[in-house]
Amino acid sequence: MRRLISGCIVSMVLIVIMTRCGQDQQTGTTKNGSSVADLLKIERSDNAAVEDKIDSLLSVMTLEEKIGQMTQINNSLIVTKANWGAGSDLSIETKVDTAKLGKMLRQYHIGSFLNGVAVSPEIWYQFYKDLQEYNLKTTRLKIPIIYGIDHMHGVNYVEGGTIFPHAINTAATYNNEFPEAMGNITAIESADLGHQWLFAPVLDLSRTPLWGRYYETLGESPYVAATMGTIFVKAVQENKEIAPYKIAATAKHFFAYSDPKYGWDRGPVDISEQALQEFHLPSFKAAINAGIKTVMINSGELNGIPVHSSYWVLTEVLRDQLKFKGVAVTDWEDIIRLHRNHHVAIDEKDATLKAIQAGVDMAMTPYTTDFCEHLKALVNEGKISMERIDLSVSRILRLKLEVGLFENPLPRNDRFNRVGAPEHRAKALEAARESIVLMKNENVLPLNPETTKNIVLTGPVADLKRPLAGGWTLRWMASEESIYPKDMLTVNTALQKEFPGKVSFAATSAELKAKASRADAIVVAVGEMPYAEGFGSILDISLPEDQVDLVKAAQATGKPVILLMISGRPRVITKIYPGCKAVIFAGLPGFEGAQAIAEIISGKVNPSAKMSFNYPIAVNRLVPHNHKVSEVILAHEIDNPIALVPFGTGLSYTTFEYSNLTLSDSVVSADGTINATVTVKNTGAREGKEAVLWFIHDEVASISRPIRDLKFYSKELIKPGESKTFTYTINVNDLAFPDKNGNAILEDGYFTLMTGNLKTRFKLQRTESK
């Protein structure tokens, strides 16, 4: 009986807890006590005209019209022809079918559509014009449609548009000029077409190369991701050249999406709350502070809770802690997946309840309108309040008003000359040149075009276009060479252009051996074909065996081998690395990438990129630069290598000498700063750019600290014999770290500052010693 009574009491307590949680989420009461009504007030902007318009619309909108604004549908449901098959099997005609569109608008009042494949600016213009005009003619309240698109590295869904290197390359430039240029040019080439909701940037960190979206990230450093991500956001959202239009950027995927414990896309992530706050949140926090208007939600699970149903992530962290006031949109089908994949909901209706309670504003359904029916039923049943619906709809309407859709809903066709403009492509070429890392060079590079007589080129990606740009280029995952620009170079055609009459292509190992006797050097181009999302998740990050065998065949000739990797992630090459005289990691350098590669090989361009991640030395040794001291504490007793090529390193055709590392003071107070300076001299024979990276290590702390963490970088061109002084102002914010709730911890003690091959110490002392 006692056990029964105890069990009943426990059950009653659990019921009370569950009911209280449900009540809090249904009414929207947040951890800090904010209700939905509070949020409706807090999130109002200072623009009275915008807020009056929102109030006016909310007062007359039906429930169905409000839910329609919260729904995003794939364009395949409103075009004349569409065949969206498995994987990359995609065929779609970008032409509005008014019968299909009419049903979406009249019956479901859909407020947003997305997606596309690369078509000409003229076709995009006509498609969006027809879409928006029909919407404005058909709908009662004439609320403009907002169109979302994944322009990930330039306007990758516009024929003839400028294609930049992917983000993993951008990070390797350590040059803030390039995220700004990419943001500006993407905005200029897309805004006129109605592409005013940009699903970029990706602010996740690269952590496991098994993950199929590794290349979409800005590397493994929270500082780089926060810095370059914020620059990109401002360039997109504050661009004046696209007037009268504006564009909203999207921070994705909120948050910690990129570290699935088994490497599989959309997989579970298990990370301590303190590590989440320290490593995975800063890039999103920086973007939100910069005014980003939307976030896209992590498709996976975080510490056992699918993020699309996580009240902690979507309300307590995103809204309460980070003070985000914009729109939170789901990723592809992710409300449905709460039931189908995660099994945390009994059916799709229950999944809808959980997602809205958690804090979702808009559902990328994207193939069905079931979300509309489920949400309507939940409101009518009293499980979701009308006030909660109004909160999301007010955010969506505010987004549409702030990007100017009500004033300028239609596209324009008089500035198409800006798409793929020569000056835009030139900037993408500059970005590619500075994004390619020279990992190793044993006096074989550069190959002088005047004295080099014969180069043998081989490898599975040597004479193809699509590997250079990777996924999210022209298609989600392009498989046809024929769709790429006629004037786009492959590595083969670029080398032929750089070394006229001196490049011989070998398609097989036998052909390689036959041609090797005449070669001054052999370039072996290895890597990957385009992939995206789950289709890019792999079981083994080793370079495939057939490619390893090809490299070994080249090495067996006795000729100098230059290994060129074109890949969205590092592939382990440790066994063949020693036998290569030079190794280049080109990443995914985009449409101008082949020219950049050829110019680096010839020496026309002096490489200046540095690794944006620790290049792994083994398939099971995936350790970032900001790992804990305990990872290497036994290094004097046990062979414990961290990386084949460390984060922040890369070679040049000149040499740089670091000296005179000095601090303006040896002690910093809680409200003070210290200026650190270092002299960098070009001791080589040619000019080159050097990125100076500054790392800090907190020597003793209450929470174990990274062995080094990047805190600042800058890059300068230095002429032969010239010295330049680089400065970094150390702020106490750089010395603090968060607890699991995001509260900053600042502790007295010693810190080590590192740059180049130099290091020095300073002390944080918050109060004067007595």
Side-chain angles (χ1 to χ4, degrees):
M1 179 63 70
R2 288 178 180 174
R3 289 179 182 176
L4 178 61
I5 293 172
S6 298
C8 291
I9 292 172
V10 170
S11 299
M12 291 173 64
V13 170
L14 287 173
I15 291 170
V16 170
I17 292 171
M18 292 172 66
T19 304
R20 175 63 57 85
C21 290
Q23 287 175 342
D24 287 350
Q25 293 181 11
Q26 195 276 331
T27 59
T29 302
T30 61
K31 187 177 181 180
N32 66 5
S34 300
S35 66
V36 168
D38 293 330
L39 292 173
L40 279 165
K41 294 176 182 177
I42 292 168
E43 294 180 10
R44 292 177 71 90
S45 71
D46 295 330
N47 189 322
V50 165
E51 298 308 320
D52 288 347
K53 181 68 172 178
I54 293 170
D55 292 341
S56 175
L57 286 169
L58 287 176
S59 69
V60 297
M61 290 174 76
T62 65
L63 174 60
E64 292 81 1
E65 286 170 329
K66 291 176 179 179
I67 291 172
Q69 290 298 310
M70 297 172 66
T71 309
Q72 189 175 58
I73 296 291
N74 191 54
N75 67 358
S76 60
L77 272 64
I78 58 167
V79 297
T80 51
K81 295 179 183 178
N83 179 20
W84 196 294
S88 59
D89 180 16
L90 169 63
S91 175
I92 190 166
E93 182 179 32
T94 310
K95 183 178 180 181
V96 172
D97 184 322
T98 54
K100 295 177 181 176
L101 176 61
K103 179 182 179 181
M104 289 292 171
L105 296 178
R106 284 188 292 269
Q107 187 171 345
Y108 296 104
H109 314 281
I110 303 301
S112 181
F113 294 90
L114 82 155
N115 233 324
V117 298
V119 294
S120 69
E122 291 80 6
I123 291 176
W124 269 123
Y125 163 79
Q126 193 62 50
F127 170 79
Y128 188 71
K129 181 173 181 289
D130 292 346
L131 174 67
Q132 196 70 279
E133 282 183 339
Y134 193 84
N135 169 63
L136 296 175
K137 179 178 69 175
T138 303
T139 58
R140 180 175 73 97
L141 298 175
K142 306 188 186 311
I143 299 172
I145 284 166
I146 189 165
Y147 198 88
I149 196 159
D150 289 282
H151 286 324
M152 301 295 297
H153 58 131
V155 286
N156 44 257
Y157 286 150
V158 180
E159 286 180 358
T162 303
I163 301 298
F164 278 79
H166 267 292
I168 199 71
N169 283 62
T170 305
T173 69
Y174 292 96
N175 187 339
N176 291 336
E177 171 187 339
F178 296 121
E180 182 176 22
M182 183 163 63
N184 279 324
I185 290 169
T186 301
I188 289 168
E189 296 190 12
S190 61
D192 290 357
L193 309 179
H195 299 169
Q196 290 182 252
W197 192 359
L198 182 65
F199 292 152
V202 170
L203 297 178
D204 305 304
L205 301 182
S206 62
R207 276 298 188 263
T208 170
L210 291 168
W211 186 54
R213 311 192 71 167
Y214 191 93
Y215 62 89
E216 297 179 42
T217 74
L218 286 161
E220 70 181 30
S221 163
Y223 177 77
V224 174
T227 301
M228 289 193 171
T230 297
I231 289 168
F232 180 86
V233 168
K234 289 183 177 180
V236 167
Q237 294 193 165
E238 299 175 8
N239 189 294
K240 304 300 182 185
E241 295 182 66
I242 64 175
Y245 305 114
K246 294 180 182 178
I247 293 179
T250 307
K252 62 186 197 183
H253 306 82
F254 191 80
F255 71 118
Y257 179 42
S258 58
D259 199 10
K261 60 182 178 179
Y262 304 123
W264 215 250
D265 188 46
R266 297 177 181 261
V269 173
D270 289 329
I271 304 176
S272 74
E273 290 185 21
Q274 191 280 326
L276 289 171
Q277 293 282 350
E278 181 165 3
F279 301 113
H280 293 273
L281 203 61
S283 54
F284 290 94
K285 181 179 181 180
I288 289 168
N289 290 342
I292 199 163
K293 295 186 180 299
T294 71
V295 300
M296 188 177 291
I297 301 165
N298 174 354
S299 296
E301 299 177 11
L302 187 52
N303 295 337
I305 308 297
V307 180
H308 281 74
S309 65
S310 174
Y311 185 76
W312 177 72
V313 172
L314 298 183
T315 298
E316 293 183 4
V317 177
L318 182 62
R319 302 294 178 179
D320 292 349
Q321 181 181 336
L322 300 187
K323 310 301 180 186
F324 178 65
K325 299 179 181 180
V327 173
V329 62
T330 77
D331 207 337
W332 195 266
E333 290 189 322
D334 277 336
I335 290 180
I336 299 170
R337 292 174 199 262
L338 292 177
H339 163 61
R340 190 180 68 199
N341 293 53
H342 300 286
H343 298 278
V344 297
I346 58 174
D347 53 26
E348 190 177 332
K349 182 180 176 183
D350 186 36
T352 302
L353 173 64
K354 286 179 166 59
I356 299 302
Q357 286 179 337
V360 166
D361 293 315
M362 185 184 291
M364 188 187 294
T365 61
Y367 293 132
T368 79
T369 52
D370 294 345
F371 169 80
C372 303
E373 304 289 358
H374 295 319
L375 188 51
K376 179 180 177 181
L378 290 166
V379 174
N380 288 337
E381 292 166 9
K383 294 180 179 177
I384 294 177
S385 69
M386 184 64 79
E387 197 174 40
R388 172 64 188 86
I389 298 296
D390 285 351
L391 178 61
S392 285
V393 176
S394 67
R395 291 166 177 164
I396 295 163
L397 293 176
R398 190 173 294 112
L399 170 66
K400 293 184 175 186
L401 286 159
E402 288 180 346
V403 299
L405 277 172
F406 282 81
E407 293 83 5
N408 300 286
L410 299 177
R412 59 189 288 177
N413 61 356
D414 59 337
R415 300 191 291 198
F416 289 167
N417 62 311
R418 306 202 299 185
V419 176
E423 61 271 24
H424 293 176
R425 290 187 59 178
K427 186 58 68 174
L429 175 58
E430 286 182 40
R433 287 167 173 159
E434 290 198 32
S435 75
I436 295 168
V437 183
L438 181 59
M439 297 169 59
K440 177 182 181 180
N441 187 20
E442 295 182 353
N443 300 315
V444 66
L445 289 177
L447 300 178
N448 189 328
E450 300 297 324
T451 59
T452 300
K453 295 179 180 180
N454 187 271
I455 300 170
V456 174
L457 172 67
T458 189
V461 301
D463 201 27
L464 295 174
K465 297 176 180 180
R466 62 189 190 274
L468 290 160
W472 303 104
T473 308
L474 306 181
R475 302 290 186 272
W476 184 48
M477 295 187 293
S479 58
E480 299 294 330
E481 282 283 297
S482 60
I483 66 176
Y484 286 79
K486 295 289 191 292
D487 63 347
M488 181 183 172
L489 300 174
T490 66
V491 172
N492 185 20
T493 55
L495 284 174
Q496 298 280 1
K497 181 180 176 182
E498 197 70 15
F499 298 86
K502 298 180 178 181
V503 178
S504 177
F505 182 71
T508 65
S509 294
E511 195 175 349
L512 167 64
K513 293 175 184 177
K515 293 181 175 182
S517 61
R518 305 190 310 273
D520 295 309
I522 300 172
V523 177
V524 186
V526 299
E528 303 175 323
M529 295 300 160
Y531 52 82
E533 300 190 53
F535 289 89
S537 294
I538 56 177
L539 304 176
D540 185 350
I541 62 170
S542 299
L543 187 68
E545 280 301 315
D546 58 338
Q547 299 189 45
V548 170
D549 290 342
L550 182 62
V551 176
K552 288 180 177 179
Q555 292 172 344
T557 67
K559 299 292 184 174
V561 173
I562 300 165
L563 180 63
L564 170 65
M565 180 169 291
I566 299 170
S567 172
R569 58 187 145 212
R571 305 299 293 259
V572 173
I573 54 174
T574 306
K575 292 180 180 179
I576 55 175
Y577 190 78
C580 296
K581 293 297 182 182
V583 180
I584 297 170
F585 182 80
L588 299 176
F591 281 4
E592 317 305 323
Q595 180 177 338
I597 290 167
E599 290 175 341
I600 286 173
I601 289 174
S602 74
K604 183 180 292 184
V605 168
N606 190 357
S608 64
K610 297 186 176 185
M611 281 294 172
S612 56
F613 50 85
N614 265 355
Y615 199 105
I617 195 166
V619 294
N620 291 321
R621 196 70 173 120
L622 306 177
V623 186
H625 80 280
N626 48 1
H627 58 271
K628 298 300 182 73
V629 177
S630 55
E631 286 281 357
V632 294
I633 199 68
L634 296 177
H636 64 290
E637 299 174 18
I638 303 170
D639 185 25
N640 192 12
I642 297 300
L644 180 67
V645 177
F647 171 92
T649 61
L651 301 177
S652 169
Y653 294 149
T654 190
T655 53
F656 298 100
E657 180 182 83
Y658 284 62
S659 64
N660 196 30
L661 174 60
T662 60
L663 298 173
S664 60
D665 202 337
S666 60
V667 179
V668 61
S669 62
D671 57 354
T673 60
I674 294 179
N675 288 328
T677 59
V678 69
T679 300
V680 180
K681 182 179 182 180
N682 185 338
T683 55
R686 62 178 294 176
E687 70 177 20
K689 289 186 176 181
E690 173 69 352
V692 174
L693 280 57
W694 301 85
F695 301 88
I696 284 180
H697 168 57
D698 187 344
E699 297 180 10
V700 178
S702 57
I703 295 176
S704 62
R705 311 307 308 129
I707 194 166
R708 61 179 189 142
D709 201 11
L710 183 68
K711 295 297 184 180
F712 187 68
Y713 60 85
S714 58
K715 192 173 190 178
E716 296 282 349
L717 179 67
I718 309 177
K719 296 178 181 179
E722 182 183 17
S723 295
K724 285 195 173 181
T725 299
F726 290 77
T727 301
Y728 161 41
T729 300
I730 304 169
N731 190 289
V732 289
N733 291 332
D734 296 338
L735 310 179
F737 55 90
D739 65 14
K740 67 177 184 178
N741 297 314
N743 301 310
I745 299 173
L746 189 63
E747 297 175 339
D748 289 352
Y750 284 96
F751 294 79
T752 303
L753 175 68
M754 297 161 274
T755 188
N757 59 342
L758 306 177
K759 62 182 179 180
T760 189
R761 295 177 84 204
F762 64 93
K763 185 178 182 180
L764 170 64
Q765 188 171 297
R766 290 171 296 167
T767 57
E768 292 185 11
S769 58
K770 297 181 179 179

